[in-house]
Amino acid sequence: MDPEGARIQDDPDVKVMMAGSTLRKVKSRSWKKQRHFRLLEDGLTIWYKSRWAGRGHSTFSVTEVEAVREGHQSEVLLSIAEEFPADLCFTLVFHGRQGNLDLVADSPEEAQAWIRGVRKLIHKAQTMDEKERLDQWVWDWFQKADKNKDGKMNFKEVKKLLKMMNVDMNEEHALHLFTMADKSESDSLEIEQFVYFYKMLTQRDEVWKVFQDYSGDGEKLMLEELENFLRIEQHEGEQSGQHAKELIDRYEPSETAVKQGAMSLDGFQMYLCSQEGSIFNPEHQNLYQDMSQPLSHYFISSSHNTYLLEDQLRGQSSLEAYIQALKRGCRCVEVDCWDGSDGEPVVYHGHTLTSKILFKDVVSTVKEYAFKTSDFPVILSLENHCGVEQQTVMAQHLSQILGDTLLTTLLDGQVPQQLPSPQELKGKILLKAKKIGGLEQCLDETLTDEVSDDEEMADGDPESPCTEDPPAANKKHKKSKLSRELSDLVVYCKSVHFHGFEHARSHAKCYEMSSFSESKAKKLAKEAGTDFVQYNTRQMSRIYPSGLRTDSSNYNPQDMWNVGCQIVALNFQTAGLEMDLNDGLFRQNGCCGFVLKPEFMRDATSQFSPEKPEGHQGYKPLRLSIQVISGQQLPKVNQKEGSIVDPLVRVEIYGVPQDQAKEETSHINNNGFNPVWNETLNFVIHAPGLALVRFLVEDYDKASRNDFIGQFTLPFTCIQAGYRHIHLLSKDGTIIPPSSLFVNISISELTSGS
């Protein structure tokens, strides 16, 4: 069936995995239990169970694993390092927000076999093309459904399998296809026959119709016909000739067709489902923006309370949370520091029950993971509640652990008129904290180590009930002491109190930055949008969630981006719309964590106001028309055998207030497999440079809230027009192949008459 699969199964490490091993699963110093692990025949599923528990077992797919870490590379394994040497230990790290799996093998050889084996399987899963992926998916379902493992399925079993696959189909039609596939007339299908049955079942009429429109003989698209399709429907213009040839070479499965320079329906469907046929413009996937402008000209992916994995009152503080945020391209992480009992500063959410971690461990973790996803700078936002002694300890840790990566001097020895660029700061970590005096007085040693009153609260989140100092300590006459050593490490990100836009225009320096609570920022955006936009052309602002969000929920970042705020900090640990928007905005430009703001937000004299986008010079509204054609293999929401989804598609636009809009299709009863809507949704976009488009698929429920099925969010400027597939993501932002939507998109200028 799968020649590639046969080869990987012959690999000695994979053989060890298939034979199975007893590994210790470790959750804490006290929880270490033996579990039997083995790789199933499909070469993708890892199954494990405890030796005593009767029936219970768990499985996960290799495709869910992002990486394997060797040795004591997690907090849990570090805590038992005395007991188990590093060469027995390894950690499986999962995509999304699923927790790690920490394992200990009986021998170094066995640990190595699993480490190498899982890495090979991950590599194989990543390099599969669309066709292999689909075959693998069908094969997995067949294995799941073939309960007696005889490699055959009768009609009753196939009907049950279709239900599991989210297909509710007319029994006569299913039986008709079953009989056609059962070439041996044995009233059962073997895997190859089942694949054929599945292909007939998923024959996509809507793709066939598009194919028919351009194919002269209805059998294939000749080179010129494919060029016409690319030019007229996919809006490819001049380069369609060369591209058509490349697409045939890349996606056409039939060698005969390739020789003729033609594309069959199979090849056409494969091209449409590929990355090139995706809604996301491939040219914007890579680093495509100018990275040499001042930092204040970029949106920067930023996390709030980065140390938390759960909520802000009882959650666990964890180094893992920093690793997850940095791996997602986050470029500004937050560290809340408090005096520790033994002279070592600790990080946690003050005055709450969240657990504590050591400041020095956080710095080491940031150093190790800062530049794995992106080379551009990382800002370490300090919320400092420590006394002078431990501040000095913090300064020592920062200098010793980060070494050259910590930026501690001006790039060219000159006091800047504008901030340096991401390009100039590649590979550097910047400290954002309070500073004694400014860069101008750096050489003037007569300063006292005290911060003036107006800078007192600059660094805290004043709204947050958990981080307030006790009232007695908060008296106005109290001067906060700053450690000179820590102050000296702050260069381009000096925290100051915000005194209004007027004051900033006449007095502020480009390296001074203020923090605003979400409510303060929202108020300023509404009352003085243009001032805020101008302020953000030169200085950076950091926005943080209200302290009342003890559940770690998020605010909508769009309101802040609309006025050019760069550091809009979100709780990365909380899935949902707000993180979808953040992931959507930063999915472009190589996922490097920096996105260049639209031109009208980089000009210091900009008159742009999000409340009145038509007031700025470059105003050019666009019409966006989305024909939602069909859906493919949507995942089930409830795993109950009997239930099948009733899907609907909602398209949501986020942008300036005038652009906020939602339109949805009707729902389709009992079909998550290949629902066809053929409905068109229309929008007008007034500020295209700021808009994000979110495609949401839900399971309709007339009695209660609809259930989430999948979503995909992207910047309006990254959309490719034409017939496109949208590959859906789970709540966690991870991919759920082979679920997709098929749409036809057109974007046109708004003429006065329309």
Side-chain angles (χ1 to χ4, degrees):
M1 151 77 199
D2 178 3
E4 182 63 26
R7 283 209 299 281
I8 191 99
Q9 265 84 334
D10 292 338
D11 180 275
D13 295 324
V14 175
K15 277 189 168 146
V16 171
M17 293 173 66
M18 292 182 92
S21 305
T22 299
L23 305 170
R24 273 189 184 79
K25 179 179 170 185
V26 187
K27 280 193 187 168
S28 67
R29 291 179 76 138
S30 52
W31 197 103
K32 310 187 272 282
K33 302 202 171 159
Q34 296 206 311
R35 293 284 181 264
H36 190 65
F37 282 79
R38 67 186 173 86
L39 175 68
L40 299 185
E41 295 69 28
D42 64 3
L44 264 194
T45 311
I46 292 177
W47 173 98
Y48 65 98
K49 65 175 287 190
S50 92
R51 291 182 308 178
W52 335 114
R55 290 189 305 275
H57 69 272
S58 305
T59 60
F60 58 88
S61 165
V62 171
T63 55
E64 294 166 44
V65 182
E66 186 180 316
V68 188
R69 295 190 204 144
E70 291 188 55
H72 300 142
Q73 292 258 342
S74 74
E75 287 158 276
V76 172
L77 291 175
L78 274 169
S79 72
I80 57 160
E82 313 283 274
E83 198 179 343
F84 298 107
D87 60 6
L88 299 179
C89 300
F90 61 99
T91 302
L92 301 184
V93 182
F94 292 89
H95 291 287
R97 294 178 177 78
Q98 194 180 332
N100 294 345
L101 193 54
D102 289 305
L103 300 169
V104 182
D106 286 340
S107 71
E109 293 71 38
E110 193 162 39
Q112 273 307 313
W114 278 83
I115 291 165
R116 285 192 305 254
V118 175
R119 283 180 180 160
K120 286 171 194 165
L121 294 170
I122 292 174
H123 178 72
K124 172 173 188 277
Q126 283 170 345
T127 49
M128 282 200 286
D129 63 25
E130 296 295 320
K131 181 178 175 339
E132 290 172 317
R133 229 177 277 261
L134 197 62
D135 286 349
Q136 182 70 56
W137 189 73
V138 177
W139 173 255
D140 290 350
W141 275 112
F142 188 87
Q143 300 282 39
K144 272 192 202 118
D146 181 12
K147 294 279 187 272
N148 61 356
K149 299 283 171 242
D150 64 353
K152 291 196 191 69
M153 297 191 89
N154 62 28
F155 185 60
K156 199 171 146 203
E157 289 173 312
V158 164
K159 263 192 343 195
K160 208 162 160 187
L161 171 58
L162 292 181
K163 261 227 158 38
M164 285 162 63
M165 291 172 95
N166 226 346
V167 188
D168 187 13
M169 65 179 316
N170 168 326
E171 188 155 331
E172 263 174 87
H173 181 57
L175 184 58
H176 172 65
L177 295 182
F178 181 91
T179 317
M180 280 172 64
D182 177 19
K183 296 203 170 77
S184 55
E185 297 180 12
S186 61
D187 292 331
S188 65
L189 303 184
E190 290 172 19
I191 179 70
E192 278 84 356
Q193 295 172 332
F194 178 71
V195 170
Y196 176 66
F197 166 79
Y198 177 84
K199 281 235 164 79
M200 290 192 291
L201 187 65
T202 50
Q203 181 80 61
R204 288 177 53 189
D205 287 344
E206 74 277 26
V207 173
W208 186 77
K209 283 189 184 115
V210 178
F211 185 80
Q212 289 300 308
D213 285 345
Y214 285 87
S215 163
D217 63 359
E219 295 290 318
K220 58 190 174 306
L221 289 173
M222 297 312 290
L223 194 57
E224 196 178 326
E225 294 168 337
L226 181 55
E227 275 174 43
N228 288 341
F229 170 77
L230 294 175
R231 195 180 63 253
I232 298 165
E233 301 293 350
Q234 308 298 73
H235 307 276
E236 289 198 0
E238 293 311 300
Q239 77 271 35
S240 56
Q242 178 55 32
H243 197 203
K245 176 109 186 57
E246 288 166 15
L247 292 180
I248 292 173
D249 291 342
R250 202 166 309 154
Y251 299 108
E252 178 49 57
S254 144
E255 285 174 24
T256 338
V258 176
K259 286 203 180 80
Q260 294 179 331
M263 188 178 252
S264 67
L265 178 60
D266 274 352
F268 185 65
Q269 188 163 319
M270 250 168 343
Y271 148 64
L272 286 176
C273 294
S274 73
Q275 278 307 316
E276 289 183 82
S278 132
I279 185 171
F280 201 103
N281 181 346
E283 288 169 20
H284 289 197
Q285 295 266 5
N286 305 325
L287 198 66
Y288 73 100
Q289 294 182 330
D290 172 9
M291 300 307 284
S292 62
Q293 302 202 22
L295 280 181
S296 54
H297 287 186
Y298 297 83
F299 294 123
I300 302 171
S301 180
S302 307
S303 142
H304 174 248
N305 287 352
T306 315
Y307 45 86
L308 292 181
L309 277 171
E310 295 156 52
D311 73 56
Q312 317 206 352
L313 297 181
R314 300 175 304 280
Q316 196 190 1
S317 303
S318 167
L319 299 172
E320 214 41 64
Y322 284 93
I323 297 174
Q324 284 183 15
L326 289 165
K327 281 203 311 210
R328 284 180 82 154
C330 178
R331 299 285 88 193
C332 177
V333 295
E334 187 186 13
V335 192
D336 273 17
C337 305
W338 298 79
D339 281 340
S341 48
D342 52 358
E344 275 295 342
V346 291
V347 173
Y348 80 113
H349 203 59
H351 311 303
T352 63
L353 301 174
T354 56
S355 61
K356 302 179 169 74
I357 46 183
L358 290 177
F359 175 74
K360 61 179 181 191
D361 290 346
V362 170
V363 179
S364 300
T365 302
V366 170
K367 164 132 176 106
E368 186 177 350
Y369 287 92
F371 305 109
K372 279 203 179 357
T373 302
S374 163
D375 299 335
F376 293 107
V378 169
I379 298 169
L380 215 50
S381 180
L382 271 199
E383 194 164 314
N384 177 3
H385 304 272
C386 293
V388 176
E389 282 88 59
Q390 293 203 15
Q391 288 181 33
T392 304
V393 176
M394 282 161 60
Q396 288 163 351
H397 287 324
L398 287 163
S399 304
Q400 285 164 0
I401 297 170
L402 298 178
D404 297 348
T405 49
L406 182 66
L407 187 82
T408 55
T409 54
L410 288 164
L411 286 182
D412 52 6
Q414 300 296 308
V415 175
Q417 291 312 300
Q418 57 172 32
L419 287 165
S421 69
Q423 188 64 41
E424 293 171 287
L425 294 167
K426 264 191 169 174
K428 290 293 182 198
I429 293 174
L430 312 182
L431 191 62
K432 172 196 166 291
K434 290 180 199 159
K435 184 173 181 66
I436 303 160
L439 297 178
E440 288 74 5
Q441 300 102 349
C442 269
L443 314 164
D444 177 4
E445 288 303 325
T446 58
L447 284 162
T448 64
D449 289 358
E450 291 187 351
V451 173
S452 62
D453 266 349
D454 67 338
E455 292 182 11
E456 176 59 40
M457 272 313 292
D459 231 27
D461 290 359
E463 272 194 21
S464 152
C466 314
T467 55
E468 285 281 14
D469 287 332
N474 228 352
K475 292 274 190 289
K476 244 320 177 209
H477 61 259
K478 165 184 163 285
K479 290 279 177 95
S480 119
K481 286 278 190 185
L482 249 196
S483 143
R484 166 54 66 116
E485 285 85 346
L486 191 59
S487 164
D488 284 348
L489 300 180
V490 176
V491 187
Y492 292 112
C493 302
K494 174 187 172 175
S495 296
V496 300
H497 192 71
F498 178 70
H499 291 293
F501 295 125
E502 213 26 71
H503 178 272
R505 263 195 285 273
S506 46
H507 295 85
K509 311 275 188 281
C510 65
Y511 58 81
E512 293 178 333
M513 57 187 290
S514 301
S515 289
F516 304 85
S517 70
E518 59 175 280
S519 47
K520 175 91 192 268
K522 232 177 153 152
K523 192 164 171 287
L524 288 172
K526 208 158 183 57
E527 291 168 6
T530 306
D531 288 332
F532 214 161
V533 169
Q534 289 183 0
Y535 170 88
N536 281 325
T537 59
R538 187 161 161 271
Q539 284 176 266
M540 294 212 282
S541 357
R542 174 176 169 271
I543 318 295
Y544 57 86
S546 140
L548 304 171
R549 293 180 180 274
T550 51
D551 56 353
S552 289
S553 60
N554 281 314
Y555 54 92
N556 187 328
Q558 188 70 45
D559 302 326
M560 318 303 168
W561 293 329
N562 285 344
V563 284
C565 297
Q566 302 83 352
I567 298 181
V568 179
L570 295 177
N571 290 302
F572 267 52
Q573 69 274 28
T574 308
L577 162 70
E578 298 81 9
M579 271 311 289
D580 290 348
L581 294 176
N582 199 72
D583 289 346
L585 176 66
F586 292 105
R587 183 165 280 125
Q588 61 183 320
N589 210 25
C591 296
C592 75
F594 286 82
V595 164
L596 191 60
K597 296 197 277 192
E599 202 172 340
F600 54 82
M601 298 196 119
R602 311 196 298 261
D603 169 7
T605 61
S606 171
Q607 289 307 304
F608 176 78
S609 154
E611 299 294 325
K612 294 196 288 291
E614 65 281 3
H616 84 98
Q617 279 174 325
Y619 175 64
K620 195 162 104 185
L622 294 171
R623 180 185 292 286
L624 168 66
S625 176
I626 299 170
Q627 182 193 8
V628 180
I629 304 173
S630 60
Q632 293 74 43
Q633 287 103 18
L634 303 174
K636 286 179 82 98
V637 177
N638 306 325
Q639 283 308 319
K640 294 198 296 291
E641 293 283 304
S643 79
I644 286 184
V645 298
D646 307 326
L648 65 89
V649 178
R650 185 155 69 245
V651 176
E652 305 175 339
I653 311 286
Y654 294 87
V656 296
Q658 258 177 286
D659 287 344
Q660 306 281 357
K662 295 181 180 177
E663 294 284 331
E664 63 184 47
T665 65
S666 48
H667 65 273
I668 288 178
N669 287 326
N670 284 339
N671 189 347
F673 187 69
N674 53 359
V676 174
W677 290 278
N678 269 326
E679 292 178 41
T680 300
L681 311 177
N682 288 305
F683 302 92
V684 171
I685 310 226
H686 297 275
L690 283 170
L692 289 167
V693 183
R694 181 173 188 245
F695 292 84
L696 179 65
V697 187
E698 288 185 338
D699 179 12
Y700 172 78
D701 191 328
K702 60 177 182 294
S704 62
R705 284 186 56 180
N706 292 347
D707 284 322
F708 173 95
I709 294 179
Q711 69 83 32
F712 187 77
T713 306
L714 78 166
F716 175 76
T717 51
C718 296
I719 290 180
Q720 295 201 88
Y723 284 100
R724 301 292 170 193
H725 278 89
I726 296 165
H727 299 278
L728 295 173
L729 303 175
S730 70
K731 245 203 173 59
D732 248 359
T734 57
I735 188 152
I736 33 179
S739 305
S740 58
L741 293 177
F742 184 46
V743 296
N744 186 8
I745 291 183
S746 69
I747 296 170
S748 53
E749 288 188 21
L750 205 60
T751 51
S752 48
S754 54

